[in-house]
Amino acid sequence: NRKKINSIPGAIIYGPKGSGKTHLCSILKQNFDCDYLTSLSNNSLEQVTEGKSFILDNFLPGKRYPSELVMHFINQVTNKEGSLLLLSRQSPYEMNWKLDDLNSRIRSLISSEIKLPDDDLLYSLIVKYSSEKNLFLSDKKIIYILERLDRSFESIIKVIDRLDTYSLEVNKKVTYEIIKIILVNLNEN
């Protein structure tokens, strides 16, 4: 229930790739009636209806989000009393839109940074995700993985998925040799 004039009903969450922004928005999509967009087109303006909410993923200035169209979209969502959640790799202050007014509007949004996880969180994530797949790794194997892996949620998920696939295909426990091979293959891709 907005009473302020010219207030934009939106927020921006930003952080590096693999920090969990898209995972967060998938949870929001399940719990709230909102449209998920990865780019804007003239057709996007037609989607804006009274009270409609939107999530714009990979929100960065460029071909997928042209400045003029973003400005019209924000104005239309605001006028129809909808809301916006913008997900980006850049903070609002790092973005350089072609329109000064748009830069100002984006920078006035509530913003929150998601940083890459620390070792404790990554350790917990490995334990949780591997146990969900009935892939039980010893503490030493988890530490071995942590010492050799990129610091991202995305990397953890890929490694555990590949270890799980291997374990199911050969019906054997995961060894250090297999972990090493999977980590090398993951780093090459």
Side-chain angles (χ1 to χ4, degrees):
N1 189 8
R2 295 188 317 273
K3 299 284 184 190
K4 290 174 63 176
I5 297 173
N6 295 329
S7 66
I8 299 171
I12 184 165
I13 297 175
Y14 65 96
K17 182 178 180 179
S19 61
K21 299 179 302 293
T22 302
H23 178 69
L24 175 64
C25 90
S26 68
I27 293 169
L28 292 172
K29 281 184 347 186
Q30 290 175 1
N31 294 308
F32 299 99
D33 180 28
C34 56
D35 285 356
Y36 172 81
L37 303 173
T38 57
S39 65
L40 288 180
S41 67
N42 288 327
N43 294 339
S44 303
L45 295 174
E46 296 170 10
Q47 292 178 320
V48 180
T49 58
E50 200 69 31
K52 187 72 178 170
S53 297
F54 294 89
I55 297 172
L56 305 182
D57 201 359
N58 295 315
F59 185 72
L60 294 167
K63 291 180 182 179
R64 292 169 43 173
Y65 293 104
S67 296
E68 291 82 12
L69 194 54
V70 170
M71 183 68 139
H72 291 304
F73 189 79
I74 289 173
N75 287 340
Q76 197 160 340
V77 169
T78 301
N79 289 336
K80 299 277 187 173
E81 297 186 3
S83 62
L84 293 166
L85 176 61
L86 310 173
L87 305 174
S88 182
R89 291 188 311 270
Q90 293 181 345
S91 82
Y93 293 95
E94 293 174 310
M95 294 179 192
N96 189 12
W97 299 91
K98 293 179 182 177
L99 305 170
D100 289 339
D101 191 31
L102 182 58
N103 279 320
S104 176
R105 287 178 188 218
I106 298 297
R107 292 173 185 159
S108 74
L109 294 173
I110 295 169
S111 65
S112 182
E113 180 181 14
I114 297 178
K115 297 181 180 182
L116 288 176
D118 63 9
D119 283 349
D120 290 339
L121 182 57
L122 288 174
Y123 182 92
S124 298
L125 183 64
I126 291 173
V127 170
K128 179 185 181 305
Y129 195 60
S130 61
S131 67
E132 286 174 0
K133 296 196 169 277
N134 292 323
L135 181 70
F136 299 101
L137 301 171
S138 68
D139 286 340
K140 289 181 180 182
K141 287 179 182 169
I142 293 172
I143 291 169
Y144 182 85
I145 292 169
L146 280 175
E147 291 173 344
R148 291 158 179 80
L149 189 65
D150 291 337
R151 297 289 184 251
S152 72
F153 296 113
E154 182 180 44
S155 295
I156 297 273
I157 291 168
K158 284 181 181 177
V159 165
I160 298 303
D161 283 345
R162 290 182 185 179
L163 288 172
D164 182 51
T165 300
Y166 165 80
S167 178
L168 292 172
E169 285 176 357
V170 298
N171 199 22
K172 290 185 180 177
K173 289 185 178 185
V174 174
T175 64
Y176 285 104
E177 183 67 27
I178 295 308
I179 294 172
K180 182 178 178 181
I181 291 169
I182 288 173
L183 290 172
V184 167
N185 289 338
L186 185 68
N187 290 332
E188 289 176 359
N189 296 332

